[in-house]
Amino acid sequence: MTNWTIESAAKFLLDAENERTNVAPITDTWEDLDVAQGYLIQDELIRRRVQAGEHVTGVKLGLTSKAKQERMGIDSPLTAVLTDAMRIAADSSAPYDKLIHPRVEPEIVFIMEKDLRGPDVDIEGALAAVATVHAGFEIIDSRFADFRFLLPDVVADNASSSYFLFSEEGVKPADIDLVSELVIVKVDGQEVDRATGSAVQGHPAAALALAANSLHAQGKFIPAGSIVLTGGLTDAVAMDDASRYTAEFTTLGSIEIAPGRA
Ligand code: OOG
Ligand code: MG
């Protein structure tokens, strides 16, 4: 496509998602697309989802860990928007047949007790606004073929968001050492990767602070009650419809996507 606009790019990505097809990166043909315009496309995409009946329920960070940055070849974190339609209950199924080429990644999830506004939010300030911490799994499903994209593309594509789930039982921030919290990722009971909370920006609350500060630059904040995904702790694992994926956290407990349900 040529003669791109913010609107046509948002529609292009939503159509790819709805038609379950993958597409070429927008930057292949909109070569000077920048990150700020990527966020305008993301905003338009969310505006259309809200117009279709979805509700914004939170924020996610992407590319906050070295493992993710190295795999995707992008060393800059980004933010994206979560809606109620993306949430899967911890004990129900993921619509595998709606997905293009899903990957799963373990994440530390915060539920916010208070509004969190940048600028200048630090780890302590971020933690003071958190109600509970949860074990999470995100299912990412880039609309771009082979997950090949540049930063403006992945920003526009709402950071490959498709679905996420998190444990119902939460832990209070004071009752967990977030930096050393360990997660072991297993496929059919076999370990495939592991990481600690330090993987995301040195501290999951540093990732949360980063979200608040970056959103401030866009004139936004994180409202009380929001769900915040702090970013994949390990590289993502390709997901099929037959295997069982488990993220076993030390303090936060385990979360699983079981065969036939994903
Ligand atoms: C971009 C989405 C990144 C994370 O947790 O790092 C993300 C991608 O890897 O496709 O959700
Ligand atoms: Mg993620």
Side-chain angles (χ1 to χ4, degrees):
M1 197 191 301
T2 48
N3 302 322
W4 286 105
T5 61
I6 300 297
E7 291 73 21
S8 68
K11 183 170 185 308
F12 176 71
L13 292 169
L14 279 175
D15 287 350
E17 178 173 351
N18 293 332
E19 291 160 20
R20 206 186 169 202
T21 51
N22 52 53
V23 294
I26 298 170
T27 52
D28 277 7
T29 46
W30 184 349
E31 286 169 17
D32 57 0
L33 177 70
D34 63 23
V35 173
Q37 288 167 317
Y39 278 109
L40 293 178
I41 298 169
Q42 185 192 110
D43 282 346
E44 172 63 15
L45 198 139
I46 297 300
R47 195 189 64 74
R48 287 171 179 247
R49 292 182 75 126
V50 166
Q51 200 172 40
E54 294 180 32
H55 299 277
V56 172
T57 53
V59 174
K60 71 170 247 193
L61 285 128
L63 308 181
T64 45
S65 67
K66 272 265 167 320
K68 289 285 309 179
Q69 293 179 352
E70 279 169 9
R71 167 69 61 178
M72 309 323 288
I74 297 174
D75 61 7
S76 169
L78 68 157
T79 63
V81 180
L82 304 175
T83 75
D84 55 349
M86 300 176 190
R87 179 162 171 201
I88 304 170
D91 58 356
S92 68
S93 59
Y96 191 81
D97 58 356
K98 283 196 191 158
L99 297 166
I100 304 165
H101 45 195
R103 298 179 180 179
V104 293
E105 52 191 24
E107 306 215 8
I108 290 176
V109 178
F110 292 124
I111 305 294
M112 304 305 295
E113 168 125 52
K114 301 182 192 143
D115 292 354
L116 188 62
R117 284 173 205 272
D120 307 325
V121 176
D122 58 12
I123 291 177
E124 276 182 14
L127 273 181
V130 170
T132 47
V133 189
H134 302 252
F137 247 152
E138 183 179 19
I139 302 169
I140 51 169
D141 195 33
S142 176
R143 268 52 69 173
F144 301 116
D146 304 320
F147 278 76
R148 180 176 69 86
F149 44 68
L150 300 179
L151 182 59
D153 295 302
V154 65
V155 167
D157 190 30
N158 202 33
S160 311
S161 302
S162 68
Y163 293 95
F164 65 92
L165 53 157
F166 59 89
S167 56
E168 264 166 40
E169 259 327 87
V171 171
K172 289 209 162 40
D175 296 337
I176 179 171
D177 177 350
L178 283 164
V179 171
S180 61
E181 177 71 3
L182 175 71
V183 63
I184 300 176
V185 183
K186 294 184 176 174
V187 180
D188 289 334
Q190 296 291 318
E191 175 172 344
V192 294
D193 212 340
R194 63 169 63 201
T196 58
S198 63
V200 284
Q201 301 293 297
H203 193 311
L208 174 60
L210 176 72
N213 293 331
S214 330
L215 287 168
H216 177 77
Q218 300 173 41
K220 298 176 185 165
F221 69 102
I222 305 175
S226 293
I227 301 163
V228 182
L229 268 58
T230 54
L233 292 153
T234 65
D235 191 7
V237 181
M239 184 182 178
D240 61 39
D241 61 353
S243 308
R244 183 166 51 93
Y245 302 85
T246 318
E248 291 177 9
F249 288 81
T250 319
T251 310
L252 298 174
S254 289
I255 185 136
E256 184 167 291
I257 306 174
R261 296 201 279 115

